[in-house]
Amino acid sequence: MSIRTKIAIIASTIIIVSIVGLSIIGVIENRNNSLDVNTKNQADSLRIVDLFLQDINLSSKATLLALKKEIEQMPLNSLDSEEKIAQNIGNLLRIHRSFTQISTSYIGLPNGKLLESGIASDKANKDWISFGGIGDSSGYMANQRGWYLGAVNKNGFYQSAVYIDVYGNRAITYSIPIQKGSKLIGVLGIDILVDNIQEYFDFLERENGISMFALDATNIPYIATDKDIILKKSELFDKVAQISSEKVDFEYFEVNDNGVKKAAQCKTSKDKEFAPYTLCSFESVDKIEEPILKIGYEQIFIGIIFTIITIIALYIILHLYLKPLEHISRGLNNFFKFLNHETKTAQIINITSKDEFGTM
């Protein structure tokens, strides 16, 4: 094997190892940087959605307290019978609902009857309706409902978990007891339809492709960009909620979702005044890494092409610059043959270059 071939092989090996090594290092760094950027973007999106959910809670509570204050300002003799309560509060429920754009305003009485301004009253073309209570054919007892008992037991503001209401809608109830002195007048409540919140999640999925969901206290998703998972129990959500409760808000972690590795970030609500929830976002790690790996493979491919071109160019250059070695080798062989009397003449080594070979 000639010297130029050996040099070309050594140089080519160094170039290939260097280019492939740099490409691999670049892919790893780009992957880490991309994950960092994606993590930050996910966290920012989660913070915005979390503020949105908190604002719904706070505004709903403020709306409920404003209605409570208005009722409590009424004299006791305006609220000391079911008829007076219906007369003085019924129309107030309709006015309150129309100005606040909530789904339903109502008050549950201690005898189980409900005064409501909402979907049912709209269908009946009335400002408000009453139903339930002892002897009512509907069998509805307001004083046995979770929103009623929750407010009475807490003796204050109460937020229910998401549930399916009597009309088949996903709803959240905010309730609070109304008292005059030591007398319980009833429990005031308002409903927010989750479908109205779902519209915001639909927008996020449509415009940004974000995968996000919120879990209730039982780790069941009640709102999500992927509607197929809503109100469906899964061990994955139990695991995610557990991990989220052990981490700081929006801290990155990875989970396995049916064999697919996903980057996850969550926040577990710790506000004891409102119903607990866990807000999370998912993103496939493969989806994040795919463009990075594509660029990495392209870099390696370009590097290989560049290496081949470099090897060819290097071989040609070595061939040109090391060509005098052939003359020197032939001249020396001829000279030693002359010394050994194998030939009668010794040829002159004719090299005219002004480098070390010419000097030799």
Side-chain angles (χ1 to χ4, degrees):
M1 185 181 293
S2 65
I3 292 177
R4 64 169 173 265
T5 302
K6 291 179 180 178
I7 294 174
I9 291 174
I10 293 171
S12 300
T13 302
I14 294 172
I15 292 171
I16 291 173
V17 171
S18 299
I19 291 176
V20 173
L22 289 173
S23 298
I24 293 173
I25 292 172
V27 169
I28 294 173
E29 289 183 349
N30 288 335
R31 176 189 181 275
N32 293 336
N33 291 337
S34 182
L35 284 174
D36 289 342
V37 170
N38 184 77
T39 298
K40 183 180 181 302
N41 291 339
Q42 275 190 332
D44 290 342
S45 298
L46 282 169
R47 286 186 177 93
I48 293 172
V49 176
D50 186 51
L51 289 173
F52 172 70
L53 296 178
Q54 289 183 46
D55 181 67
I56 291 174
N57 282 340
L58 292 172
S59 60
S60 297
K61 180 183 177 183
T63 297
L64 183 66
L65 292 177
L67 181 58
K68 176 178 183 286
K69 181 179 179 181
E70 205 162 341
I71 294 173
E72 287 182 337
Q73 288 176 344
M74 296 178 182
L76 180 59
N77 59 12
S78 298
L79 303 170
D80 58 2
S81 68
E82 182 181 316
E83 292 75 16
K84 290 181 180 180
I85 292 174
Q87 180 182 351
N88 292 300
I89 296 181
N91 289 332
L92 186 60
L93 295 175
R94 180 193 61 79
I95 295 171
H96 174 263
R97 183 171 69 96
S98 63
F99 274 100
T100 57
Q101 299 297 311
I102 60 176
S103 169
T104 310
S105 295
Y106 48 87
I107 183 169
L109 304 182
N111 64 4
K113 182 165 285 190
L114 185 77
L115 306 181
E116 175 187 282
S117 178
I119 297 174
S121 61
D122 290 344
K123 288 181 178 180
N125 199 25
K126 294 181 179 181
D127 292 338
W128 59 274
I129 60 171
S130 66
F131 61 91
I134 299 173
D136 187 80
S137 59
S138 67
Y140 183 88
M141 296 293 292
N143 58 2
Q144 295 178 9
R145 306 292 288 185
W147 56 267
Y148 186 103
L149 296 173
V152 170
N153 292 335
K154 287 184 67 176
N155 193 29
F157 176 78
Y158 173 80
Q159 179 193 351
S160 74
V162 175
Y163 65 98
I164 305 299
D165 66 14
V166 293
Y167 308 108
N169 300 313
R170 284 177 294 152
I172 301 173
T173 293
Y174 302 86
S175 58
I176 196 165
I178 301 290
Q179 292 180 312
K180 279 290 193 179
S182 59
K183 182 180 180 181
L184 176 66
I185 304 300
V187 173
L188 192 64
I190 60 173
D191 283 354
I192 302 295
L193 293 183
V194 176
D195 284 347
N196 296 333
I197 309 174
Q198 180 65 45
E199 291 177 0
Y200 181 65
F201 276 65
D202 293 342
F203 170 81
L204 291 175
E205 196 280 332
R206 184 172 61 251
E207 298 296 325
N208 302 319
I210 295 175
S211 177
M212 196 175 296
F213 56 87
L215 307 175
D216 63 15
T218 60
N219 303 330
I220 295 177
Y222 64 90
I223 190 168
T225 52
D226 180 6
K227 294 181 180 179
D228 291 336
I229 68 172
I230 292 176
L231 299 182
K232 292 181 180 178
K233 186 72 174 174
S234 169
E235 291 183 1
L236 174 65
F237 299 136
D238 291 332
K239 181 179 180 181
V240 167
Q242 178 63 34
I243 296 174
S244 175
S245 66
E246 297 170 354
K247 292 185 174 290
V248 299
D249 293 348
F250 314 120
E251 183 179 351
Y252 177 90
F253 62 94
E254 293 182 357
V255 294
N256 189 297
D257 182 9
N258 293 322
V260 179
K261 186 165 68 173
K262 291 191 175 180
Q265 288 175 274
C266 297
K267 176 190 174 179
T268 298
S269 172
K270 299 177 177 65
D271 191 335
K272 296 181 179 180
E273 188 174 25
F274 297 100
Y277 64 86
T278 300
L279 179 65
C280 294
S281 67
F282 271 5
E283 188 71 43
S284 169
V285 174
D286 289 341
K287 183 178 178 181
I288 299 171
E289 293 180 344
E290 182 179 355
I292 304 168
L293 294 176
K294 182 180 179 182
I295 293 173
Y297 292 143
E298 290 175 351
Q299 289 176 342
I300 293 174
F301 177 75
I302 293 171
I304 292 173
I305 297 298
F306 176 77
T307 301
I308 293 172
I309 295 172
T310 302
I311 291 171
I312 294 172
L314 180 63
Y315 187 84
I316 293 171
I317 292 171
L318 288 173
H319 177 75
L320 293 175
Y321 279 92
L322 297 181
K323 192 172 184 180
L325 283 176
E326 296 179 6
H327 296 292
I328 294 172
S329 177
R330 284 197 301 269
L332 289 174
N333 286 331
N334 181 265
F335 176 70
F336 284 109
K337 285 181 180 180
F338 172 76
L339 291 178
N340 293 326
H341 304 288
E342 295 179 15
T343 60
K344 295 181 178 181
T345 60
Q347 298 177 352
I348 297 174
I349 301 174
N350 187 19
I351 298 175
T352 59
S353 62
K354 296 181 180 181
D355 54 17
E356 288 83 352
F357 294 126
T359 303
M360 290 171 64

